[in-house]
Amino acid sequence: MDDDEEFTSALKTVLRDLRAQCPVQPDIRKDDDEFRGVMLYAPDGSGQGVYAEPDGRPAMLLAHVADQVQEWAVEALWGQGEPAVWPQCPTHPDTHPLAVTMEEGDAVWVCPSTGGTAARVGELPVSEAGEGVSGRAFRRGRGGRKGARRGR
């Protein structure tokens, strides 16, 4: 599997969690052939780059992509006037988001307060906030990257 395929697989896995539990969904575009990643755009038009840093460890790549998508989701939720918490901690709802980390070779979502594992990345249960939300397919950008930013 090449780096682009590994990145695409990791992104799809994380977007599955986003669809499962986030009421705000990104418009995903590959705006620039020079940028090794995609842009996630929020409904307000702001964007953030999500990119790959492959190092031969798929779980680390997955955790890295999950961290970037989480950053986008928190900003997008805040921009829509929603609680800026994604993914929700099942033990402490509306208090803090879960954190992504590595555990026994897997990328997992954990409660930052207790360290308890909530789910593997890609396996969050569907919540009311995300129920029935459908993700958008990748597509080439249409120009106009107002408010876009890359990386962190």
Side-chain angles (χ1 to χ4, degrees):
M1 188 180 291
D2 69 19
D3 290 350
D4 289 338
E5 288 172 342
E6 287 180 19
F7 170 72
T8 299
S9 177
L11 182 62
K12 285 180 180 180
T13 300
V14 176
L15 292 176
R16 185 254 162 237
D17 281 351
L18 193 69
R19 285 189 302 276
Q21 292 198 358
C22 188
V24 179
Q25 295 297 298
D27 179 9
I28 305 165
R29 300 184 223 161
K30 177 89 172 139
D31 285 342
D32 183 345
D33 289 333
E34 298 297 316
F35 179 52
R36 292 192 53 139
V38 297
M39 293 295 293
L40 303 183
Y41 288 94
D44 68 5
S46 63
Q48 177 174 320
V50 176
Y51 57 94
E53 286 187 2
D55 68 355
R57 297 178 293 173
M60 285 299 292
L61 176 62
L62 181 59
H64 179 69
V65 170
D67 186 52
Q68 293 174 81
V69 172
Q70 180 180 37
E71 184 179 315
W72 174 88
V74 167
E75 298 266 338
L77 286 164
W78 182 84
Q80 294 296 297
E82 299 280 341
V85 179
W86 182 83
Q88 286 278 347
C89 177
T91 308
H92 309 103
D94 295 321
T95 305
H96 56 253
L98 294 171
V100 67
T101 192
M102 294 297 297
E103 185 176 280
E104 297 180 16
D106 287 325
V108 295
W109 295 111
V110 299
C111 170
S113 295
T114 67
T117 301
R120 289 174 52 177
V121 173
E123 297 179 2
L124 285 174
V126 175
S127 71
E128 288 181 28
E131 202 167 73
V133 175
S134 62
R136 296 184 182 173
F138 291 93
R139 65 177 195 231
R140 275 276 162 209
R142 299 182 302 259
R145 290 186 283 184
K146 180 181 175 187
R149 58 188 172 131
R150 288 194 179 154
R152 295 175 160 236

